[in-house]
Amino acid sequence: MVRVLNGFLAFVVIALSGTTAFAQDRPRVVAVNQALHDFAERLLGDAAEVVFPVPEGVDPSFWRPSIADISMIQSADLILLNGAGFATWIDRVSLPRSRVVNTSAAIEDRFIVTESITHSHGDGGEHSHEGIASYTWLDPMLAIAQAEAIAAAVIVRDLAIEGIVEARLAELRSDLTALDAMAQDALSGMDGVAMIATHPRYQYFARRYSLSIASLEWDAGAMPGEDDLADLERLSTELDAGILIWEAQPPREAIELADALGLKSIVFETWAGQGTPDSLFTAYRQAVSDLADAASQFAD
């Protein structure tokens, strides 16, 4: 009996050791935002561990990695950058060039140049939005190009079976194309409806669907202060705006204050940071549907 028990325990140890070895042997892929993380996970499946290291509630555009974070990122088999100036920490960290992929390299001719606006978020110090609009994936057609760049990098580095990656890419491309078609249909004819966003995130979305979206500089999900509300009232009057787009769910009181200004509030989470409860596709469809419904109340 003792001999049988010892044999069983030895089997369990060997099995667990094999499982641990498998987990450690899997390639690691690091993404700088949630959208790229999700695209990579869909393309790789269980073939690799896909990591998005930015903590929940932190803006990944201005996140500052710790020494441990940097060490983990530098040791990754593949590092997926968004490009277009997204994630300012990459300019201050030495990354292995052979394992870095700029997923927006093929779409640089479609970048949107932004105005110079310097302000503070409180958690990342003073910074400027001067340069390039960086939320490229909010245009599904640009997102397809980024997904294609990820797939190509995965295949070249032999991180997953080529045929499987290509099949998954085809499905992802189809889903993004369908998302774009839905948005095109829902948002057509809205070029005369003025909108305001609480943060400058939606430039590519606005261009894709011919929307007029002006931007404020509010913290995501935070209660706006008196100066913020004064800016909103001024801009709303100036533009005769009817819709206010929130980057994250705001306090109920904030929505009530927007209502008092005659603004219909829409939450459009951008799928950049962690903590979003829905998938990119679910959140995108809901935001587009809400925008279309709200615009129907203000269209001429």
Side-chain angles (χ1 to χ4, degrees):
M1 179 66 180
V2 174
R3 183 176 299 173
V4 172
L5 180 59
N6 288 339
F8 173 75
L9 291 174
F11 170 79
V12 171
V13 170
I14 293 172
L16 290 176
S17 298
T19 301
T20 303
F22 170 76
Q24 292 174 342
D25 287 344
R26 284 200 306 163
R28 175 177 290 164
V29 176
V30 174
V32 298
N33 60 42
Q34 190 68 45
L36 297 184
H37 170 276
D38 288 4
F39 294 163
E41 273 203 333
R42 281 195 58 169
L43 295 170
L44 284 159
D46 294 331
E49 176 193 12
V50 184
V51 178
F52 174 43
V54 181
E56 183 176 345
V58 176
D59 187 337
S61 299
F62 308 106
W63 174 59
R64 295 177 178 178
S66 67
I67 293 176
D69 293 324
I70 293 171
S71 178
M72 182 275 294
I73 294 169
Q74 290 173 331
S75 67
D77 297 272
L78 188 61
I79 304 167
L80 302 175
L81 306 184
N82 187 78
F86 187 92
T88 57
W89 63 265
I90 65 175
D91 296 326
R92 300 188 294 270
V93 175
S94 176
L95 298 175
R97 292 186 180 182
S98 63
R99 285 174 271 157
V100 171
V101 174
N102 177 358
T103 62
S104 64
I107 56 175
E108 289 183 353
D109 61 333
R110 286 179 274 177
F111 283 173
I112 295 174
V113 178
T114 61
E115 297 180 359
S116 176
I117 305 174
T118 301
H119 68 115
S120 175
H121 270 298
D123 62 347
E126 218 175 55
H127 55 266
S128 174
H129 289 285
E130 181 180 17
I132 304 297
S134 58
Y135 280 52
T136 50
W137 63 92
L138 292 182
D139 176 343
M141 296 297 99
L142 301 186
I144 287 175
Q146 293 184 267
E148 290 171 344
I150 296 172
V154 165
I155 292 171
V156 165
R157 290 162 179 79
D158 198 26
L159 300 184
I161 298 173
E162 180 175 353
I164 294 177
V165 174
E166 289 178 342
R168 289 171 175 165
L169 174 61
E171 292 178 357
L172 180 53
R173 187 187 291 116
S174 177
D175 287 346
L176 287 166
T177 300
L179 187 68
D180 178 65
M182 181 277 296
Q184 290 280 11
D185 181 62
L187 301 175
S188 62
M190 284 180 53
D191 53 323
V193 179
M195 298 176 240
I196 300 172
T198 60
H199 209 78
R201 306 296 201 199
Y202 305 93
Q203 296 96 330
Y204 294 100
F205 174 77
R207 182 179 66 183
R208 178 65 184 168
Y209 304 112
S210 301
L211 304 177
S212 176
I213 304 179
S215 298
L216 296 167
E217 290 283 346
W218 293 4
D219 287 345
M223 182 67 195
E226 291 183 7
D227 290 342
D228 295 326
L229 291 172
D231 289 339
L232 174 61
E233 184 173 12
R234 174 190 55 76
L235 189 59
S236 174
T237 301
E238 177 184 322
L239 301 176
D240 191 23
I243 297 173
L244 180 61
I245 302 173
W246 299 83
E247 182 184 359
Q249 184 65 48
R252 179 181 296 275
E253 184 183 354
I255 292 180
E256 292 173 351
L257 290 171
D259 288 344
L261 294 175
L263 294 166
K264 173 67 175 177
S265 290
I266 303 297
V267 177
F268 190 169
E269 296 179 350
T270 56
W271 208 246
Q274 292 192 23
T276 308
D278 299 317
S279 73
L280 169 64
F281 295 93
T282 301
Y284 203 102
R285 288 191 187 96
Q286 186 62 56
V288 166
S289 177
D290 291 345
L291 281 172
D293 289 344
S296 66
Q297 304 173 31
F298 298 100
D300 294 334

